[in-house]
Amino acid sequence: MIKIQLNDMSYEQDIRELLMAFYPGETFEYDGAEKEEAGFGDGVKPAFAVEKKAAGENESGAAVEIRAEGKKAAKEVTPKFAVEGIVSEDRRSFSLRIIHYGSARFHCLRNLPAEIEEEMQHVEEPLTVEYEERFDTKNKIKRRLYALLLLQTGKTLPWGSLTGIRPAKIPLTKLGEGMKEEEIARYMKRTYYASDEKIALSIDIAKRERQLLASIDPHKGYSLYAGIPFCPTTCLYCSFTSYPIDKWKGRTGLYLHALFRELDYVAQEKKGYPINTVYLGGGTPTSLSPEDLDLLLGKLKNTFDFSTVSEFTVEAGRPDSITREKLKVLKKYGVTRISINPQTMKQETLDLIGRRHTVEDVKEKFAMAREEGFDNINMDLIIGLPQEELEDVRATMEAVKALGPDSLTVHSLAIKRAARLNTMREVYKDLKIVNTQEMIDLTASYARGMGMNPYYLYRQKNMAGNFENVGYARPGKECIYNILIMEEQQTIIGCGAGTTTKRVIPGENRIERVENVKNVEQYIERIDEMIERKRRLFAV
């Protein structure tokens, strides 16, 4: 557990997210937003402080209780440390320091980039800020905290202080402003302390994204996402909106009826606007019966004008949800791209994470999809799954290479708050989770060896190794929807439980969004409210 002590909460999320990058899976405690309550004065204090009495101590010196002014002392877990941030009354100065309860050890670091060395020389000093200038102040605070945590842990992060989920959006925007690649690289190094390798990756992807989006007018058209929140089972690591399909047997029609009402509204609202891409995700859409799938795809085709749709994706996802009959339904309605996602080709891991299919099922369903004429098949993999090491990743990549997919999405395991791997951490605490740069490099090497290039990139919180998710594809097989959703270049309308609609406001660099409720029964009961939310969004 880590304490966060701030007298103003404006940049709390930025501080917490960088702490999460250094300490994935860690919990946080707050003393409150007022410095009087936290018990710290106005004076500038050392960037690192050891305060053995700050939280009370027993004979061994371990903190056993946390006291706050005016509150009854309560037994608490001993914090690893606290991060204290204080903005001055005139909001022109921000002091940041790390407080240790008990002894502390720091690292002597050599051969750091010049930008970080420069920051290290000033860690004892308060930051000069224009507190309301969010972008500059946020990055100043994060760079200072990065330096402090680097001294404390002795480790650098591949993306530096950058915690956002869309790192390629930075070079994509800068390229659009006319900045040269070398200038972008210097900017990202100076602003975020990102590694040369990650900067090069993000610029390479941004250049490819610009080429792929050149034929799309992002402001004239829109993309449509329909969510099917059902799966055969819920995987150990998953926190997406999904419900076991067996529990909805005989009742999926209720969900589809509500979804169809929402689709009808969207078709009327966006009448006359071209659709560029359609994505049917989840969950696992192919967990629906062939009859329900036929009904859903027929509804989409009969409700919207597909003459401008360049890409129609369906997440087939789980091999145990795929049948030849369902593949024929997808083909009947002109689906151009599907995903068959093994996550790993190690059977022991599949059993551990709760996927009720075998490695042979993956191979069989992939071959079946090829037989049915699908020539754009993506496969998802996860690096950092419990108990897997480098040689397991290599074996998976060899098996995938033998199948020959058209695109590959390589995820770094992210342990989400709602996932069983997190909520039942005591049960799974002995599982070893490893993700290294060597593993990431290995997957990239295999992807390139299969004739694929990286074309989109995103990150998540609590990622194993603090790496990224990268989509690779053979030329002409890229998923345009993935780029649009990641780089927020176009309005994307989400229909179904747990979906989000993002309206891009042309010329204003502004995005407005509304969300649908995640719970399926609530979505069905409140469908009028979900439609009204969209109506208000598009009325502005």
Side-chain angles (χ1 to χ4, degrees):
M1 185 261 286
I2 299 169
K3 285 183 88 172
I4 298 177
Q5 301 173 162
L6 307 171
N7 71 333
D8 181 280
M9 301 297 278
S10 299
Y11 297 94
E12 177 275 331
Q13 181 177 342
D14 304 294
I15 290 169
R16 173 169 43 82
E17 287 181 352
L18 188 54
L19 286 166
M20 290 167 66
F22 274 93
Y23 297 92
E26 194 57 73
T27 57
F28 299 90
E29 179 187 88
Y30 297 83
D31 265 1
E34 298 299 324
K35 62 185 177 185
E36 290 84 1
E37 184 176 322
F40 297 100
D42 287 317
V44 176
K45 299 185 180 183
F48 288 94
V50 178
E51 301 192 357
K52 289 189 177 181
K53 296 292 185 180
E57 62 183 41
N58 58 17
E59 291 181 358
S60 67
V64 293
E65 60 184 34
I66 308 298
R67 294 184 182 274
E69 187 71 25
K71 295 181 181 178
K72 184 179 180 180
K75 297 288 182 181
E76 296 284 352
V77 175
T78 304
K80 283 184 170 66
F81 59 89
V83 174
E84 179 201 48
I86 296 178
V87 61
S88 61
E89 288 186 10
D90 64 5
R91 302 175 88 75
R92 296 294 183 89
S93 174
F94 189 88
S95 299
L96 189 69
R97 67 172 185 150
I98 291 178
I99 303 165
H100 291 271
Y101 302 105
S103 61
R105 184 175 67 179
F106 308 108
H107 293 262
C108 181
L109 302 165
R110 296 184 175 88
N111 302 317
L112 292 171
E115 296 84 1
I116 301 179
E117 290 280 11
E118 174 68 18
E119 187 69 44
M120 291 288 192
Q121 295 176 21
H122 301 282
V123 292
E124 301 287 343
E125 304 168 8
L127 291 162
T128 300
V129 298
E130 293 290 341
Y131 202 69
E132 313 308 329
E133 292 291 334
R134 178 156 185 82
F135 181 82
D136 288 339
T137 300
K138 171 185 72 173
N139 284 310
K140 282 185 177 182
I141 291 172
K142 289 173 72 175
R143 286 195 295 269
R144 176 60 54 84
L145 181 58
Y146 183 87
L148 293 171
L149 294 173
L150 180 55
L151 285 169
Q152 177 165 291
T153 63
K155 71 176 183 180
T156 59
L157 300 179
W159 288 100
S161 65
L162 185 60
T163 55
I165 68 171
R166 298 176 173 86
K169 191 173 183 179
I170 298 167
L172 184 65
T173 301
K174 297 301 181 185
L175 286 169
E177 294 171 355
M179 190 178 284
K180 295 179 180 179
E181 292 179 38
E182 298 80 8
E183 294 174 316
I184 296 171
R186 287 196 295 271
Y187 171 82
M188 293 185 70
K189 175 69 75 174
R190 182 178 65 251
T191 307
Y192 305 108
Y193 301 156
S195 69
D196 293 338
E197 294 77 13
K198 299 308 179 188
I199 292 172
L201 175 65
S202 63
I203 293 175
D204 183 31
I205 287 174
K207 288 162 57 182
R208 194 162 289 112
E209 287 177 336
R210 275 172 62 84
Q211 295 170 357
L212 291 168
L213 296 180
S215 62
I216 292 177
D217 185 341
H219 304 312
K220 184 179 291 185
Y222 71 102
S223 287
L224 177 68
Y225 178 93
I228 303 301
F230 305 114
C231 274
T233 58
T234 301
C235 298
L236 187 65
Y237 54 80
C238 186
S239 66
F240 284 113
T241 302
S242 64
Y243 296 81
I245 189 67
D246 286 349
K247 292 186 177 180
W248 278 83
K249 201 167 187 177
R251 296 192 297 146
T252 53
L254 297 173
Y255 178 76
L256 292 179
H257 177 72
L259 176 61
F260 291 177
R261 287 191 57 201
E262 191 174 17
L263 291 171
D264 285 336
Y265 162 74
V266 171
Q268 185 61 38
E269 174 65 37
K270 302 302 289 183
K271 189 174 182 179
Y273 292 86
I275 307 179
N276 294 121
T277 69
V278 176
Y279 198 106
L280 186 58
T284 307
T286 45
S287 62
L288 293 173
S289 68
E291 295 77 17
D292 279 349
L293 204 54
D294 189 286
L295 197 64
L296 172 57
L297 296 181
K299 177 64 177 179
L300 286 168
K301 277 299 188 79
N302 293 327
T303 305
F304 296 91
D305 179 4
F306 268 66
S307 64
T308 58
V309 173
S310 61
E311 175 184 278
F312 186 9
T313 297
V314 173
E315 285 274 358
R318 293 276 293 262
D320 46 338
S321 73
I322 300 171
T323 66
R324 191 174 294 277
E325 187 178 1
K326 292 178 187 180
L327 290 172
K328 287 183 181 296
V329 172
L330 301 185
K331 202 67 182 171
K332 169 184 171 183
Y333 287 102
V335 171
T336 61
R337 180 179 179 273
I338 64 171
S339 280
I340 299 175
N341 305 330
Q343 313 302 8
T344 177
M345 296 294 266
K346 182 179 179 181
Q347 188 60 53
E348 293 85 350
T349 307
L350 291 173
D351 295 339
L352 175 64
I353 63 178
R355 291 175 75 90
R356 295 178 184 171
H357 65 82
T358 66
V359 171
E360 288 306 312
D361 288 336
V362 177
K363 297 176 181 178
E364 177 191 336
K365 300 306 170 61
F366 187 93
M368 185 185 293
R370 287 294 199 215
E371 290 168 6
E372 292 300 323
F374 288 95
D375 61 359
N376 193 351
I377 304 177
N378 175 74
M379 301 189 88
D380 279 12
L381 301 173
I382 298 178
I383 308 304
L385 287 171
Q387 307 294 88
E388 290 211 345
E389 299 180 350
L390 180 64
E391 289 311 307
D392 298 312
V393 176
R394 191 186 307 278
T396 288
M397 296 309 298
E398 282 290 338
V400 168
K401 180 182 177 181
L403 291 174
D406 305 285
S407 60
L408 191 64
T409 307
V410 180
H411 301 263
S412 290
L413 177 67
I415 304 174
K416 296 296 189 70
R417 182 176 56 187
R420 282 187 293 132
L421 198 55
N422 183 51
T423 60
M424 301 174 66
R425 64 175 64 187
E426 279 301 308
V427 176
Y428 301 112
K429 64 182 179 181
D430 294 327
L431 295 178
K432 183 171 69 172
I433 295 175
V434 177
N435 192 9
T436 66
Q437 187 63 54
E438 191 176 6
M439 290 179 175
I440 297 296
D441 291 344
L442 181 68
T443 60
S445 176
Y446 268 93
R448 292 185 186 278
M450 289 187 272
M452 300 180 188
N453 295 310
Y455 76 95
Y456 91 108
L457 161 72
Y458 71 102
R459 304 180 65 226
Q460 294 168 280
K461 298 171 187 174
N462 282 331
M463 296 186 86
N466 194 243
F467 293 112
E468 65 279 329
N469 304 328
V470 181
Y472 300 89
R474 293 183 172 132
K477 303 296 184 180
E478 301 89 353
C479 180
I480 302 302
Y481 173 87
N482 282 339
I483 300 173
L484 292 169
I485 189 71
M486 280 302 116
E487 307 309 340
E488 299 181 317
Q489 296 289 298
Q490 183 185 56
T491 292
I492 294 181
I493 301 177
C495 297
T499 62
T500 299
T501 294
K502 291 194 265 188
R503 183 188 176 195
V504 177
I505 313 297
E508 297 186 25
N509 192 29
R510 183 164 61 90
I511 295 172
E512 299 286 347
R513 69 190 71 205
V514 293
E515 296 180 350
N516 283 351
V517 292
K518 293 182 178 181
N519 182 277
V520 173
E521 291 177 340
Q522 284 288 307
Y523 172 77
I524 294 169
E525 292 175 8
R526 297 165 61 187
I527 187 59
D528 289 330
E529 179 187 339
M530 301 304 103
I531 293 171
E532 182 57 30
R533 289 181 183 182
K534 284 184 170 59
R535 184 174 285 113
R536 289 198 300 267
L537 175 70
F538 289 108
V540 178

